[in-house]
Amino acid sequence: MADLIESVGTLLREVAATVVLPMYQHLAEDDVQEKAPGELVTVADRRAEERIAAGLMELLPDSAVVGEEGVADDPVVLDRLRERGPVWLVDPIDGTGNFAGGRGPFAMMVALLRGGAPVAGWIYQPLEETLAVAELGSGAYVDGVRATLNGDELATSGLRGAATTRYLPGNLRSSVREGSSRISELLPSQHCAGREYVDIVTGRQHFVMFWRTLPWDHAPGALMVEEIGGVVRRIDGAPYDLADDRYGLLACASESVWDQVQAVLLS
């Protein structure tokens, strides 16, 4: 697995250097389209996914690929998530709105699934040249350095994290806003799930809450958070299954943080 971890990281760096970054801040008007209301796709997303998918198939010839843009073109592709594997899950540019607007953050994400569950994940941030990886049972690493939790218990008043309130139902949005006064800081969404997960792994924030839970946005990061001892669950406490299309997901740096955030922001 070590060789595969390295090879996928190399692939993401190569596609970033040859496809993604050359088009960053150089997109023409017709290079950006709306594939669904409020959902952008760029020519860079499509080209990057094609290149990443081809490279992954070379690494594991017997594998299948489920890519964000492939699913947008043919939703039936999502059925592959339940295959015994190996299945690659690809988000060529996470944070497309940021990328299309000529700003960061944005990330490139891949997860390897077996039996419908992630066994490895990669998040590459091209602007920062930062690569985070995780392997089931072997921990999470950022630029080759193993990520670890501080281990100190945190008071509720010391917690800081993000919540994507834009899509929350009205009652939950009100609950989050009212509860935010009881924590240290409720950060605005960065509109890039890959960055939010890495910020938990590196200790920049303690939690992140999402409403929409498309699998390519969360599989790599959820594995990373869990590999450092964190917790990723549905907001009602149910286990996270990436093939479950329900809404709401809360990722936290520890069990105690999850309990506190759930109690303060969602009760």
Side-chain angles (χ1 to χ4, degrees), residues 112-257:
L112 176 61
L113 314 181
R114 293 188 184 275
V119 296
W122 297 257
I123 299 177
Y124 182 59
Q125 299 178 79
L127 294 180
E128 297 82 1
E129 298 184 347
T130 295
L131 177 66
V133 302
E135 180 184 352
L136 183 65
S138 297
Y141 295 78
V142 179
D143 292 333
V145 179
R146 184 163 189 150
T148 58
L149 288 172
N150 182 296
D152 294 338
E153 287 291 327
L154 288 166
T156 300
S157 60
L159 296 177
R160 66 192 305 269
T164 307
T165 58
R166 173 183 174 187
Y167 301 105
L168 287 178
N171 62 323
L172 283 180
R173 190 183 306 120
S174 297
S175 178
V176 169
R177 288 175 176 168
E178 290 172 6
S180 65
S181 63
R182 297 175 58 190
I183 66 174
S184 174
E185 188 175 8
L186 183 65
L187 304 167
S189 169
Q190 299 184 70
H191 305 293
C192 177
R195 177 61 174 269
E196 302 276 14
Y197 280 112
V198 173
D199 280 356
I200 292 177
V201 171
T202 56
R204 293 188 182 95
Q205 62 193 54
H206 304 113
F207 68 89
V208 61
M209 183 174 65
F210 303 97
W211 183 243
R212 299 193 302 175
T213 58
L214 297 168
W216 43 79
D217 286 334
H218 301 284
L223 179 62
M224 290 177 191
V225 169
E226 292 172 343
E227 282 297 311
I228 65 165
V231 176
V232 182
R233 296 192 187 115
R234 294 292 178 179
I235 59 177
D236 63 0
Y240 171 51
D241 178 346
L242 62 88
D244 181 351
D245 61 1
R246 289 185 301 158
Y247 292 100
L249 194 65
L250 178 59
C252 297
S254 69
E255 185 82 43
S256 65
V257 170

Side-chain angles (χ1 to χ4, degrees), residues 64-66 71 74-84 87 116 216 243:
V65 176
V66 175
V71 171
D74 181 9
V76 174
V77 172
L78 262 180
D79 294 342
R80 295 175 182 168
L81 290 181
R82 288 299 188 188
E83 293 181 5
R84 293 185 62 84
V87 175
W216 43 79

